[in-house]
Amino acid sequence: MTGGAAVYARQNRRKYIILTLIALVGLLALVVDVMTGAAMLPVGEVLEALFSRASVEPTTRVIVWNMRLPVALMALVVGFALGSSGAVMQTILHNPLSSPYTLGVGAGASFGASLAIVMGLGEAGICLSAFFFAMLICMLIYLMGRMRGMSTNTMVLAGIALLFLFQSLLALIQYGASESQNQSIVFWSFGSLQRTTWPRLAITAAVTALVFPLLMKDSWRYTALLMGDEKAESLGIRVNRLKLRAFSLISLLAAVSVCFTGTIGFIGLAGPHIARMLVGEDQRFYIPLSAVCGMTILSIASILSKIIIPGTIFPIGIITSIIGVPFFFVLVMRSRGGK
């Protein structure tokens, strides 16, 4: 093996090790998440319940399998979905501040859910309405960008404009809603994993499992896109078609996440930044590491939401914002002087 090939192989091996280690941290966080709650469970009892379900007491089995495990797994799946969608969005828009939430997807979903709450559509109607408006935001951003030749600046500005528009519409709905409706709207907009059920988890996991391989299939095209749209076109990549496909897949991931959990910010922004600092922007490693970082961060946030005040579970969207903003600020400042 030549010197250059050896260096390349060593760099790739290092990236695989980093990916594996962070994935293991995420799995460890899963176990700790199941352990924590109003009734703390020993690690041995949790592992026994997970791998030998029939051998534990009925109370422990109910706590682990019916109450905590679906929530803990949803934290991993939603974090994985948001981390990967944020990574692809930052790549195709050439903007490190892009994420499904900074570009208005969360605001659109919150508006849709709030509209359904005021109309009294029930839980299924709330989820479907949130999903529809999250998809609508992504498609509007894409269409506005296409009208201007897929200009990335146009797409980012369009997303920011839609963010403020739907935040204003949400405030309008809250102004006219009743007190009980406002309570539901505010609780939903905080973001929470506590509404998780096994069917909701299965839907979210199935969509993520179907979409993620499709994102990875285009990973080399995303890497080429980093050189600029014109150079990517010269390599035979149909950039507009690639961006449309990426936006469609990102829309599915973001929408299916927010429609069941509400607005959970920071994950789609921080996960890709951490991954970029660790492995660079080779999309073969960058996208999966962004996803793994996202699931690990959200799982840790789920643990913190239950241990800050014992017996009280804070909405996880509040936790990600509180710990996320200063943590992200430190990351940005340490990353090559903030460049």
Side-chain angles (χ1 to χ4, degrees):
M1 185 179 291
T2 63
V7 171
Y8 179 74
R10 187 163 60 249
Q11 289 176 341
N12 283 351
R13 187 161 54 248
R14 171 183 166 276
K15 293 173 182 178
Y16 281 119
I17 291 172
I18 291 172
L19 182 60
T20 302
L21 288 176
I22 295 182
L24 290 175
V25 173
L27 293 177
L28 177 62
L30 168 68
V31 175
V32 176
D33 197 6
V34 176
M35 291 170 53
T36 55
M40 297 294 292
L41 298 176
V43 61
E45 197 170 342
V46 169
L47 293 175
E48 185 180 2
L50 292 176
F51 296 105
S52 182
R53 185 174 177 177
S55 63
V56 296
E57 295 180 358
T59 302
T60 302
R61 188 161 60 244
V62 169
I63 291 173
V64 171
W65 283 91
N66 293 6
M67 299 172 63
R68 295 187 186 174
L69 186 58
V71 173
L73 288 173
M74 183 66 99
L76 295 184
V77 173
V78 169
F80 191 95
L82 295 178
S84 55
S85 61
V88 175
M89 183 170 281
Q90 289 180 22
T91 297
I92 64 175
L93 294 180
H94 307 294
N95 190 315
L97 295 180
S98 300
S99 78
Y101 292 96
T102 57
L103 295 188
V105 177
S110 295
F111 170 77
S114 302
L115 188 63
I117 289 171
V118 171
M119 295 175 65
L121 297 182
E123 284 199 22
I126 292 170
C127 292
L128 289 174
S129 183
F131 182 86
F132 171 78
F133 279 95
M135 290 286 290
L136 179 64
I137 290 287
C138 286
M139 289 301 102
L140 286 174
I141 293 172
Y142 172 79
L143 291 174
M144 290 180 185
R146 185 157 188 173
M147 289 170 62
R148 297 293 300 272
M150 297 304 293
S151 165
T152 55
N153 287 336
T154 300
M155 297 172 81
V156 171
L157 290 173
I160 294 172
L162 290 171
L163 167 65
F164 286 110
L165 171 63
F166 278 91
Q167 282 182 339
S168 300
L169 293 175
L170 175 59
L172 184 63
I173 286 180
Q174 288 180 294
Y175 182 77
S178 66
E179 184 177 347
S180 61
Q181 289 172 339
N182 263 320
Q183 289 178 347
S184 298
I185 291 170
V186 170
F187 182 77
W188 196 95
S189 64
F190 280 161
S192 175
L193 298 170
Q194 300 307 312
R195 294 183 291 268
T196 300
T197 60
W198 283 108
R200 292 182 177 187
L201 173 63
I203 293 171
T204 309
V207 172
T208 303
L210 289 173
V211 170
F212 185 74
L214 297 178
L215 290 176
M216 290 303 300
K217 183 180 177 182
D218 286 328
S219 59
W220 75 269
R221 295 183 178 88
Y222 298 139
T223 303
L225 203 60
L226 294 172
M227 299 184 296
D229 292 358
E230 293 181 359
K231 289 185 178 180
E233 290 276 5
S234 70
L235 294 174
I237 298 172
R238 297 182 178 180
V239 172
N240 286 355
R241 182 175 295 182
L242 175 65
K243 289 185 177 181
L244 174 60
R245 184 161 61 246
F247 255 100
S248 300
L249 296 175
I250 290 169
S251 301
L252 283 173
L253 284 179
V256 78
S257 298
V258 299
C259 75
F260 292 134
T261 63
T263 303
I264 302 175
F266 172 69
I267 303 300
L269 194 64
H273 274 275
I274 296 172
R276 188 180 293 110
M277 292 171 62
L278 293 174
V279 300
E281 297 200 73
D282 183 343
Q283 304 292 304
R284 297 173 302 164
F285 299 98
Y286 171 62
I287 295 174
L289 185 57
S290 297
V292 172
C293 286
M295 78 176 195
T296 302
I297 294 170
L298 192 56
S299 186
I300 292 172
S302 178
I303 296 168
L304 292 175
S305 71
K306 294 183 285 186
I307 65 174
I308 293 177
I309 299 179
T312 301
I313 300 177
F314 284 88
I316 199 166
I318 296 176
I319 304 301
T320 57
S321 297
I322 291 174
I323 68 173
V325 173
F327 177 59
F328 178 67
F329 182 74
V330 171
L331 285 177
V332 171
M333 295 304 294
R334 289 185 60 185
S335 178
R336 297 182 182 180
K339 294 181 181 179

